[in-house]
Amino acid sequence: MTVVPLRAARVYRSENAERSVHAWCHKTLSQWPELGPLPPVQTRLGSTQVFRAEGGPGTPVLVLSGVNFSAATTVSAARVLAKDRPVYLVDPPGQPGLSHGQRLGGARTEAYGAWLDELLPQITDEPVIVLGHSRGAATALASTPSSRVAGLLLLNPAGLTAAGLSSESVWATLSWMLHPNEHTSGKLVACLKGPGTDVGGVECRSEAEWLTLVARHCRTGSMPHPLNAEFFRAWAGCPITVATGSHDRYFSPARLHGPARRFLDAKVRTIEGAGHLSLHEQPDEVREFLRGFDA
C-alpha cells in the first residue's frame, strides 16, 4: 500500500522547546555509554535517529516506544533486554525525541508502517524481533512482513482495538495537559502504571520529568485508531506474542483477548501487577517473552 502522508504542525512549540527536549534526551542517553547512535537514516517521513547497543547472543530486538515516549525514556528497560541480545532504540519522526520534528496528518499509522518498512533495511542485514509498545505495536502491525522481521512482541498494544477510557485516566490526562508540573505528571504516571507503584522512585520521577517537558514544549500525540483487517492477515505465520498489564486501563487483558484471537490467532499473556507501561515496569518479564522467540 502506498501512503502519502499529509504534513501538519511541528511537534515542538518553538525552537527553544525543541532544544530543551533534545537536551533532556542527550543527557539521559549518555547514562548508557554502550548505546551508540547510528548515522541518521533518511526516510519519507524525515530524518530518523536510531541507537544500538551490543548485547548477548540472542536475536536482536528493535524497540518502538508508545505515545509521547522516546528512545531516551526506554534506556532503563533496554539495558535489561541487552543482557540477552543487541538492542535498537528508535525515535520515530513526528514524535518527541531526536528525529525529524514534523508531525503527520492524515493516515498516520499506515504512514508509520511504511516508514518502518523503509527503515529496517537501512539499519540491519539480520532479522530482528520488533517490540512495539502501545502505539509502537500499531506501527509494527501496519508494516509489511519480511525476512528482516523474526517476530513481533506487542506490549499493551494499540491497533487491535480502541483504547478503553475511565474517568480517572481522562482526568489525569487533562490535568497533565492543562497544568503540566511535577504533581500532575506524577499523577499521570501513577495512572499509567500498576497499583503499588512507588511514584517517588527514581524511575517514576524521571518519567514524570519527561512528561512535564512534553506537555510544556510539545503538541502531544494520541492513541491510534484500530487498524483494518488487511494488516492483520499479512502477519499469518509470523511468530507473534501479545502481552499486556493486568491493570492496564487502556488495553486490559479482557479488552484484547477477542481481537488478538480473532485477528492474530494469539493468546494474550498477562503481566501481573503491571499497568500500561509494562515494558518500563517489568522489563525482566518482557525479557522472558523475547527468549521465547530465540527458542
Side-chain angles (χ1 to χ4, degrees):
M1 177 184 295
T2 300
V3 179
V4 181
L6 302 176
R7 293 295 180 187
R10 283 184 57 78
V11 174
Y12 305 103
R13 300 182 186 277
S14 67
E15 292 184 0
N16 284 337
E18 184 173 11
R19 282 193 287 269
S20 296
V21 171
H22 284 190
W24 193 96
C25 291
H26 286 301
K27 178 182 177 181
T28 304
L29 289 162
S30 69
Q31 296 172 10
W32 189 10
E34 294 80 10
L35 183 70
L38 302 184
V41 180
Q42 300 307 316
T43 73
R44 71 188 72 189
L45 299 189
S47 178
T48 298
Q49 185 60 64
V50 182
F51 302 86
R52 188 181 191 277
E54 295 295 336
T59 305
V61 61
L62 182 144
V63 181
L64 299 174
S65 299
V67 177
N68 293 324
F69 280 70
S70 67
T73 62
T74 315
V75 163
S76 293
R79 294 181 79 160
V80 175
L81 307 184
K83 294 176 182 178
D84 293 340
R85 65 198 68 251
V87 175
Y88 293 88
L89 299 181
V90 185
D91 275 336
Q95 297 185 42
L98 297 175
S99 293
H100 184 59
Q102 189 77 32
R103 189 172 296 286
L104 291 176
R108 296 182 182 182
T109 305
E110 293 87 340
Y112 276 113
W115 160 81
L116 183 57
D117 293 340
E118 188 179 4
L119 178 72
L120 278 178
Q122 299 188 66
I123 64 172
T124 180
D125 292 325
E126 59 183 335
V128 299
I129 303 164
V130 178
L131 188 166
H133 172 243
S134 187
R135 181 191 223 165
T139 295
L141 287 168
S143 68
T144 305
S146 74
S147 59
R148 285 187 172 85
V149 179
L152 300 181
L153 174 53
L154 309 176
L155 294 177
N156 313 94
L160 286 172
T161 187
L165 295 176
S166 66
S167 57
E168 183 179 1
S169 62
V170 170
W171 178 250
T173 301
L174 288 175
S175 298
W176 163 71
M177 293 177 68
L178 294 173
H179 306 288
N181 55 48
E182 181 181 347
H183 176 72
T184 58
S185 296
K187 288 287 188 182
L188 181 58
V189 170
C191 185
L192 289 170
K193 291 192 168 185
T197 298
D198 179 13
V199 294
V202 173
E203 189 67 23
C204 286
R205 290 202 307 271
S206 177
E207 291 161 350
E209 182 180 89
W210 167 256
L211 288 173
T212 300
L213 199 68
V214 167
R216 287 177 176 172
H217 296 309
C218 304
R219 297 175 175 88
T220 62
S222 59
M223 291 288 186
H225 296 295
L227 292 164
N228 295 327
E230 64 185 277
F231 291 102
F232 307 125
R233 287 194 292 267
W235 290 101
C238 179
I240 295 177
T241 296
V242 179
T244 194
S246 59
H247 292 79
D248 189 333
R249 291 179 169 87
Y250 303 93
F251 299 107
S252 66
R255 194 173 192 84
L256 289 173
H257 175 76
R261 173 64 73 186
R262 184 165 62 252
F263 297 135
L264 300 174
D265 193 26
K267 295 180 180 179
V268 176
R269 311 280 289 274
T270 300
I271 304 175
E272 294 296 337
H276 185 63
L277 300 183
S278 59
L279 172 62
H280 306 267
E281 297 173 78
Q282 298 195 28
D284 283 308
E285 187 78 11
V286 176
R287 182 183 174 194
E288 289 299 319
F289 292 149
L290 289 171
R291 287 177 173 176
F293 291 92
D294 295 331

mmCIF file of all heavy atoms in Angstrom, residues 221 235 240:
data_model
loop_
_atom_site.group_PDB
_atom_site.id
_atom_site.type_symbol
_atom_site.label_atom_id
_atom_site.label_comp_id
_atom_site.label_asym_id
_atom_site.label_seq_id
_atom_site.Cartn_x
_atom_site.Cartn_y
_atom_site.Cartn_z
ATOM 1 N N GLY A 221 0.796 13.617 21.358
ATOM 2 C CA GLY A 221 0.155 12.646 20.482
ATOM 3 C C GLY A 221 -1.015 11.959 21.163
ATOM 4 O O GLY A 221 -1.335 12.213 22.330
ATOM 5 N N TRP A 235 0.189 -10.932 8.546
ATOM 6 C CA TRP A 235 1.128 -11.491 9.518
ATOM 7 C C TRP A 235 0.887 -12.957 9.830
ATOM 8 O O TRP A 235 1.545 -13.523 10.717
ATOM 9 C CB TRP A 235 1.080 -10.666 10.804
ATOM 10 C CG TRP A 235 1.663 -9.300 10.622
ATOM 11 C CD1 TRP A 235 0.985 -8.134 10.440
ATOM 12 C CD2 TRP A 235 3.043 -8.975 10.546
ATOM 13 N NE1 TRP A 235 1.853 -7.084 10.278
ATOM 14 C CE2 TRP A 235 3.133 -7.575 10.340
ATOM 15 C CE3 TRP A 235 4.226 -9.712 10.647
ATOM 16 C CZ2 TRP A 235 4.347 -6.919 10.222
ATOM 17 C CZ3 TRP A 235 5.433 -9.057 10.534
ATOM 18 C CH2 TRP A 235 5.495 -7.678 10.331
ATOM 19 N N ILE A 240 4.196 -14.312 16.837
ATOM 20 C CA ILE A 240 3.666 -13.105 17.470
ATOM 21 C C ILE A 240 3.322 -13.416 18.918
ATOM 22 O O ILE A 240 2.679 -14.429 19.214
ATOM 23 C CB ILE A 240 2.407 -12.590 16.747
ATOM 24 C CG1 ILE A 240 2.741 -12.138 15.320
ATOM 25 C CG2 ILE A 240 1.767 -11.428 17.513
ATOM 26 C CD1 ILE A 240 1.536 -11.677 14.518
#
